[in-house]
Amino acid sequence: MMHIDLDRHSGITLTEQIRTSIADRIQSGLLQEREKLPSVRNLSRLLEVSLMTVFHAYEILEQEGLIERIQGKGTFVQGKSTRSSDQHNQDRAEKPSLDWQNTVADYLPRAQYWRMMQTPLLDVAKLSMAALHTSLIPTEWISKQFFQYAQVDHTLLTEYGPVQGDSKLREAVLPYFRERNIMTSPNEIMILNGSQQGIDLVASTFVGPGDCVVLEEPVYPCTIDVFRKRGATIYTVPIDEEGMQVDRLAMLCDSRPPKLIYTNPTFQNPTGTVMSARRRAQLLELAQSYHSIILEDDATSDIYFGSEPPPSIKSMDTHGHVIYLKGISKFISPGCRIGFLIADGTFIARLVGSKGISDLGSPLITQKAILPFFSSNQLKKHLPVLREKLKERRNIVLRILTHSAPKGVYWTKPDGGLNIWITLPHALNADDLHTCALKEGLSFLPGHVCYPTQQQYHHFRISFSYLDLPLLEQSVATLCRLLHDFVQSDRHSQQIMHM
């Protein structure tokens, strides 16, 4: 059973809110293929909206190929699997029926990360994975720290750590942040199970049903999941080559001041763009004017290939408007699941309280394993080498795209980070290309999952950091071949239509 929160004061039509909620659940796998949806009458009664509102939402979903309506039987999630309906029915017949579970409501709006992580189960080259290849991670050095600390101090395995995080690690990271002009103290730092936990904690602490949250568009997809789950009313502001278009945000603030603004200003995921220093200052000024929170997600500012990016928004914050997140997954180790949250005033106390409710504190052993990175010169030795290796990978991918991608396909040329954002001719659907790519043994991130409201289907993201170099070159070359076939097929179809 679906639970759909409708905001009758958001300015977004009820039809669009219903369509988006169902589409998100289908695209993230929470509603599975051939699953029966509520009838128009039942859903209209459940949501207390007119029959025509639900009818039009279903009509749009059917036009988008997400559902199918079968006369006399009902409305079902459209099946994309190559397996036949008889095969699905046979599978269901071999197991005891669990249909009663469909009567239990859940409050998950979508789960795109879970959906994205299904492809690792397949034997595919993961251009979709924005993470470091094992050769780029100092695994031996980190493993040595694990063993040393575990042998010397058994309490790391037998006791809970402080909810706010290990005090020595919070002390050790101060020089790192102060070099980046973030003047903080150990009491204003909290250690997280990755920066994703920070997004969730901020949302669960400060965002409730109907609160206005502004996201960049396109945006890191997991943020959409988090804020939708809180029942927030989400507005979007497009980005361009200077990052979030703050003038558009200013117009939105006049009519609906946001409680929270999420931004990933440096080598933004998924596009790789960098917000200019001018816009960072303007964004902070807006937040101060409207008493809004800025959630600054800084995942990859350390991975730059030329000049350093502009200073963080947090470094300019004097009134405590910015909650700053820094994860280490993108430049040290994703497996350690360590991130840092910095906040001032009462915000940090409230967030620490929220974390205590969530998990009682992060594992001590991983915090101790990372500690020497910040208490020695290891990080300063590691980062320049990592930048050069990632720059080499980016250049290889850009060179192949320049030489082999068809006309009409465009891509970003990031000055840092891990990702390249690719744009197809507007009429083409990256989901269809992804289906073809999986058959050829490679995956990428379809761009529609990065749009909170009006999805765009002609973009996708590839990452140049996860595959080994030979497989990376091979995979991008295969992608270019598929792009040629895909674009050529569309041109052929258009020619037939105009004959």
Side-chain angles (χ1 to χ4, degrees), residues 64-342:
E64 293 175 336
L66 295 174
I67 67 172
E68 57 182 335
R69 292 182 285 184
I70 302 175
Q71 186 68 31
K73 293 185 178 180
T75 303
F76 300 85
V77 176
Q78 179 73 277
K80 292 186 177 181
S81 170
T82 56
R83 303 169 74 232
S84 69
S85 178
D86 288 342
Q87 286 174 310
H88 280 278
N89 292 335
Q90 181 180 347
D91 288 347
R92 292 176 67 89
E94 291 174 353
K95 297 179 180 179
S97 174
L98 302 178
D99 288 345
W100 72 272
Q101 293 183 350
N102 294 328
T103 66
V104 179
D106 68 63
Y107 295 85
L108 285 170
R110 64 178 218 169
Q112 290 292 359
Y113 183 75
W114 168 72
R115 183 68 167 180
M116 288 186 288
M117 293 302 289
Q118 298 307 296
T119 50
L121 301 176
L122 307 172
D123 184 19
V124 297
K126 295 179 248 325
L127 289 171
S128 55
M129 189 68 73
L132 298 180
H133 183 261
T134 183
S135 66
L136 303 174
I137 301 171
T139 51
E140 289 187 11
W141 197 87
I142 295 173
S143 298
K144 184 179 177 182
Q145 308 309 313
F146 267 108
F147 284 120
Q148 283 183 348
Y149 277 106
Q151 288 174 346
V152 171
D153 188 355
H154 292 169
T155 62
L156 298 179
L157 303 175
T158 61
E159 294 183 6
Y160 292 110
V163 171
Q164 192 165 348
D166 179 62
S167 60
K168 291 184 178 179
L169 179 55
R170 286 188 283 124
E171 190 78 41
V173 297
L174 289 180
Y176 170 85
F177 288 119
R178 288 173 180 171
E179 285 178 6
R180 289 151 181 81
N181 294 315
I182 298 176
M183 301 306 167
T184 188
S185 71
N187 292 333
E188 295 169 334
I189 299 174
M190 179 166 62
I191 298 172
L192 307 166
N193 296 319
S195 56
Q196 179 66 30
Q197 184 186 42
I199 299 172
D200 189 64
L201 288 175
V202 171
S204 62
T205 304
F206 296 110
V207 177
D211 282 342
C212 177
V213 171
V214 171
L215 304 180
E216 300 164 323
E217 187 176 60
V219 70
Y220 168 51
C222 291
T223 61
I224 306 172
D225 302 354
V226 169
F227 291 114
R228 283 261 173 82
K229 186 179 176 182
R230 295 297 303 162
T233 300
I234 294 176
Y235 293 90
T236 60
V237 175
I239 62 173
D240 59 21
E241 64 277 359
E242 274 192 81
M244 182 187 286
Q245 297 180 24
V246 181
D247 56 339
R248 300 276 290 268
L249 175 61
M251 290 188 288
L252 173 62
C253 288
D254 288 339
S255 58
R256 191 73 191 269
K259 187 169 188 182
L260 184 143
I261 303 162
Y262 170 86
T263 182
N264 176 202
T266 308
F267 310 127
Q268 193 248 12
N269 184 2
T271 63
T273 57
V274 177
M275 185 185 292
S276 66
R278 177 178 65 90
R279 286 193 182 173
R280 292 176 193 229
Q282 291 173 338
L283 177 57
L284 182 57
E285 184 178 351
L286 270 179
Q288 292 170 347
S289 298
Y290 290 96
H291 290 180
S292 301
I293 299 169
I294 295 175
L295 179 56
E296 181 178 12
D297 189 355
D298 181 12
T300 54
S301 64
D302 295 280
I303 305 173
Y304 52 87
F305 305 143
S307 58
E308 292 187 37
S312 66
I313 305 170
K314 183 62 179 174
S315 68
M316 300 182 284
D317 179 31
T318 57
H319 291 83
H321 285 272
V322 180
I323 299 174
Y324 177 84
L325 296 177
K326 183 69 184 182
I328 69 163
S329 295
K330 306 303 184 188
F331 65 97
I332 297 180
S333 169
C336 286
R337 302 305 300 139
I338 295 289
F340 302 96
L341 180 151
I342 299 177

Side-chain angles (χ1 to χ4, degrees), residues 255-463:
S255 58
R256 191 73 191 269
K259 187 169 188 182
L260 184 143
I261 303 162
Y262 170 86
T263 182
N264 176 202
T266 308
F267 310 127
Q268 193 248 12
N269 184 2
T271 63
T273 57
V274 177
M275 185 185 292
S276 66
R278 177 178 65 90
R279 286 193 182 173
R280 292 176 193 229
Q282 291 173 338
L283 177 57
L284 182 57
E285 184 178 351
L286 270 179
Q288 292 170 347
S289 298
Y290 290 96
H291 290 180
S292 301
I293 299 169
I294 295 175
L295 179 56
E296 181 178 12
D297 189 355
D298 181 12
T300 54
S301 64
D302 295 280
I303 305 173
Y304 52 87
F305 305 143
S307 58
E308 292 187 37
S312 66
I313 305 170
K314 183 62 179 174
S315 68
M316 300 182 284
D317 179 31
T318 57
H319 291 83
H321 285 272
V322 180
I323 299 174
Y324 177 84
L325 296 177
K326 183 69 184 182
I328 69 163
S329 295
K330 306 303 184 188
F331 65 97
I332 297 180
S333 169
C336 286
R337 302 305 300 139
I338 295 289
F340 302 96
L341 180 151
I342 299 177
D344 309 292
T346 67
F347 278 7
I348 187 66
R350 290 189 251 178
L351 288 163
V352 171
S354 184
K355 188 174 194 298
I357 295 170
S358 172
D359 67 3
L360 302 180
S362 300
L364 270 175
I365 185 68
T366 51
Q367 296 178 61
K368 291 296 187 183
I370 292 303
L371 174 60
F373 253 98
F374 294 95
S375 60
S376 70
N377 65 347
Q378 185 66 28
L379 185 60
K380 290 184 178 181
K381 291 166 55 179
H382 169 68
L383 282 174
V385 175
L386 178 64
R387 290 177 192 129
E388 282 303 312
K389 289 182 177 180
L390 287 171
K391 181 179 180 180
E392 177 189 4
R393 289 162 165 270
R394 180 208 60 174
N395 291 345
I396 288 171
V397 173
L398 292 179
R399 184 170 64 248
I400 296 173
L401 289 172
T402 300
H403 290 162
S404 304
K407 291 182 178 180
V409 176
Y410 303 95
W411 52 89
T412 56
K413 298 175 182 178
D415 293 322
L418 310 178
N419 304 311
I420 294 173
W421 184 245
I422 298 180
T423 299
L424 302 171
H426 200 276
L428 298 183
N429 190 322
D431 277 11
D432 295 335
L433 176 64
H434 190 240
T435 300
C436 298
L438 287 173
K439 294 176 182 177
E440 294 280 347
L442 63 92
S443 69
F444 53 75
L445 179 70
H448 74 83
V449 303
C450 303
Y451 288 85
T453 51
Q454 297 291 334
Q455 281 98 349
Q456 295 186 22
Y457 289 88
H458 62 294
H459 308 281
F460 63 95
R461 187 199 76 187
I462 62 173
S463 300

